[in-house]
Amino acid sequence: MTAPTSTTGMDGERVPVRSGWHVGVHVGSEWSVRCHTYPDERPILSLDTPGGGLSVSAMGGTVTADHVDFAYALVKAANDYLIECERLLLDRTADDTDNGAAVAA
């Protein structure tokens, strides 16, 4: 079965419906992240969990300035993610301490 390829616009004309995708990875305690490097080939970044994996590499096999820009953006986003995770963990730890969950030595 094939999905519909168009819909009706406001003026009754058929308008193409674009496809899209989204990949979500919910990380628990079983995971690995690696950057595979090779002397004369593009690097491959891989994230693996028991339920699936994700690999990132340069399209066409040749690294360009666009790939370097993407890598910098990826590093920035990963750093923002880290900062937010640390903030939430510290906030939760502080809440646990305020509620008497922590025991003084």
Side-chain angles (χ1 to χ4, degrees):
M1 180 176 182
T2 303
T5 57
S6 61
T7 187
T8 305
M10 291 187 337
D11 57 1
E13 291 183 32
R14 296 192 56 86
V15 178
V17 176
R18 295 185 55 153
S19 296
W21 59 277
H22 171 83
V23 175
V25 179
H26 297 275
V27 178
S29 58
E30 299 176 291
W31 55 266
S32 69
V33 178
R34 293 185 58 194
C35 181
H36 305 275
T37 59
Y38 310 95
D40 298 318
E41 293 289 329
R42 68 192 184 271
I44 300 172
L45 178 65
S46 66
L47 175 122
D48 293 300
T49 68
L54 172 71
S55 295
V56 177
S57 65
M59 181 77 148
T62 302
V63 174
T64 67
D66 288 337
H67 300 115
V68 173
D69 291 344
F70 171 78
Y72 274 115
L74 183 62
V75 167
K76 183 187 178 323
N79 190 59
D80 292 347
Y81 179 81
L82 169 64
I83 290 168
E84 186 63 9
C85 287
E86 287 177 332
R87 182 191 66 78
L88 291 170
L89 180 62
L90 289 172
D91 286 353
R92 191 180 76 223
T93 303
D95 287 346
D96 289 347
T97 302
D98 291 344
N99 292 329
V103 176

